């Protein structure tokens, strides 16, 4: 009897893990589309990590998600960044970044490895105002840079430890004008090698860490080249039998070295960082026979240099189809 109960428990745990992993792959959220040229950066503090995203399941599924990130932040008048072909400070940002994302798990297992691919189409509202009136206020609603991940490779180190490797790519397809403050596109290719690790405990407790480094090509219009960005997010959650979960997220973005080219030398390379943290609520269940999930978080940045300092919120809803 104990053996039968143990197997049943393991099967149930495995089914919950597969569902959570599929939802996590569908909910992975890139950040906004300004880089250090422009002040914000593609990543937004604490928005890259998703619970269970270190687990790539062995099944063949489509996961479709819709996500919205809202960010509001200020860059003080004493700080200067390259933007709209000039140097300025005293900026206020209001950005709504919305995207449709699709993930395909391959249903292939090779020596313990499982694989997936993903792509996303983002649409962005940007409002940038200068509270010292050095630059005219600007706003726009535009398509942002398309992104895709050709291969996500996941390995199951043990039943409780899982790791995934990927390279996310942004293509310079979004709207961009070098003389405007509000740009949805960045006019650069960006490559982000990423490692994601998930550890599971009993009673629905998990920890996921997501670390990537963003590498940028030079902006062909301004000749500005952003230095690489290190992006580390860590999330811990407790999942309940009801499908609800609660947890928290910590994020740290650190520029690795100085920017080069264009106006970079005037602002001493614009090297910067941001650190933030906040709560997260999740839900997973079914609509009919279709697994669905939702995630909501709020991240408050409490330290920043050469980047705006503010508050971001994320709402993501996804569904899995066999």
């Amino acid at each position: 009897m104990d053996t039968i109960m143990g197997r049943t428990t393991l099967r149930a745990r495995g089914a919950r893990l597969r569902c959570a992993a599929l939802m996590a792959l569908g909910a992975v959220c890139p950040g906004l589309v300004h880089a250090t040229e422009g002040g914000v950066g593609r990543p937004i503090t604490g928005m890259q990590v998703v619970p269970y995203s270190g687990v790539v399941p062995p099944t063949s599924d489509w996961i479709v998600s819709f996500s919205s990130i809202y960010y509001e932040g200020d860059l003080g008048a004493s700080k200067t960044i390259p933007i709209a072909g000039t140097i300025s400070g005293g900026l206020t940002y209001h950005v709504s970044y919305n995207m449709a994302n699709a993930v395909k798990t391959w249903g292939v297992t090779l020596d313990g490895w499982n694989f997936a691919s993903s792509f996303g189409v983002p649409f962005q509202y940007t409002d940038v105002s200068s509270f010292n009136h050095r630059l005219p206020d600007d706003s726009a609603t535009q398509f942002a840079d398309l992104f895709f991940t050709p291969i996500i490779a996941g390995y199951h180190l043990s039943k409780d430890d899982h790791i995934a490797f990927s390279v996310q790519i942004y293509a310079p397809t979004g709207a961009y004008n070098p003389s405007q403050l509000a740009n949805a596109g960045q006019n650069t290719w960006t490559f982000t090698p990423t490692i994601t690790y998930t550890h599971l405990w009993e009673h629905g407790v998990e920890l996921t860490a997501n670390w990537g480094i963003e590498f940028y090509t030079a902006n062909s219009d301004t000749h500005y080249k952003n230095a690489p960005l290190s992006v580390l997010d860590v999330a811990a959650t407790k999942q309940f039998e009801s499908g609800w979960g609660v947890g928290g997220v910590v994020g740290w973005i650190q520029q690795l070295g100085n920017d080069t080219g264009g106006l970079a030398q005037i602002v001493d390379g614009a090297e910067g960082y941001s650190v933030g943290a906040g709560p997260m609520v999740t839900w997973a269940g079914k609509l009919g026979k279709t697994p669905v999930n939702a995630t909501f978080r709020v991240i408050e940045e409490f330290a920043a240099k050469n980047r705006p300092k503010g508050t971001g919120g994320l709402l993501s809803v996804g569904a899995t189809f066999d």
Side-chain angles (χ1 to χ4, degrees):
M1 177 65 71
D2 290 343
T3 301
I4 295 175
M5 289 295 292
R7 290 175 179 172
T8 301
T9 300
L10 287 174
R11 283 197 297 269
R13 185 174 186 262
R16 288 196 299 270
L17 176 58
R18 171 181 174 267
C19 182
L22 289 168
M23 294 297 99
L25 286 175
V28 171
C29 294
L32 307 183
V33 294
H34 304 86
T36 43
E37 180 185 22
V40 180
R42 286 199 190 274
I44 294 296
T45 311
M47 296 298 175
Q48 285 64 234
V49 69
V50 179
Y52 297 97
S53 55
V55 184
V56 179
T59 52
S60 177
D61 301 280
W62 279 98
I63 309 104
V64 178
S65 66
F66 299 91
S67 304
S68 181
I69 298 174
Y70 178 78
Y71 179 80
E72 180 177 320
D74 295 318
L75 182 77
S78 62
K79 304 175 182 178
T80 57
I81 58 166
I83 187 169
T86 187
I87 302 297
S88 183
L91 299 173
T92 298
Y93 296 81
H94 299 268
V95 184
S96 176
Y97 182 80
N98 309 283
M99 64 182 169
N101 189 50
V103 178
K104 180 66 175 79
T105 55
W106 295 7
V108 173
T109 300
L110 295 175
D111 294 327
W113 291 86
N114 300 122
F115 305 92
S117 302
S118 72
F119 66 91
V121 180
F123 195 70
Q124 179 173 319
Y125 168 76
T126 311
D127 182 278
V128 184
S129 57
S130 174
F131 55 76
N132 58 18
H133 305 294
R134 292 181 182 175
L135 297 172
D137 297 348
D138 192 17
S139 64
T141 302
Q142 305 160 318
F143 280 103
D145 293 339
L146 297 176
F147 58 90
F148 56 97
T149 306
I151 299 177
I152 305 168
Y155 188 76
H156 309 288
L157 301 170
S158 69
K159 67 180 181 66
D160 295 324
D161 296 281
H162 309 265
I163 195 167
F165 302 89
S166 63
V167 178
Q168 187 176 69
I169 302 170
Y170 289 86
T173 57
Y176 177 79
N177 186 326
S179 63
Q180 292 183 345
L181 291 177
N183 280 305
Q186 187 180 311
N187 201 36
T188 67
W189 287 88
T190 306
F191 303 88
T192 311
T194 302
I195 300 174
T196 307
Y197 168 75
T198 295
H199 180 77
L200 309 174
W201 286 275
E202 295 182 352
H203 311 297
V205 178
E206 69 86 39
L207 175 76
T208 296
N210 187 95
W211 179 55
I213 298 180
E214 299 193 345
F215 296 93
Y216 299 83
T217 61
N219 185 323
S220 59
D221 287 335
T222 65
H223 309 292
Y224 195 101
K225 189 176 188 299
N226 299 303
L229 289 179
S230 170
V231 184
L232 175 64
D233 288 350
V234 179
T237 59
K238 161 64 177 174
Q239 303 293 326
F240 300 97
E241 292 294 333
S242 63
W244 289 95
V246 295
V249 179
V250 176
W252 174 27
I253 299 172
Q254 177 68 54
Q255 185 172 322
L256 305 177
N258 291 321
D259 298 338
T260 57
L263 297 170
Q265 62 181 6
I266 299 177
V267 291
D268 295 326
E271 183 175 353
Y273 63 84
S274 62
V275 184
M280 176 171 58
V281 178
T282 66
W283 179 82
K286 287 189 175 182
L287 291 179
K289 296 183 179 180
T290 302
V292 296
N293 83 310
T295 301
F296 177 73
R297 74 185 66 172
V298 176
I299 303 296
E300 182 73 23
E301 293 173 324
F302 52 82
K305 176 186 176 183
N306 288 333
R307 294 172 60 89
K309 181 181 178 183
T311 303
L314 164 67
L315 176 63
S316 180
V317 179
T320 299
F321 304 93
D322 295 332

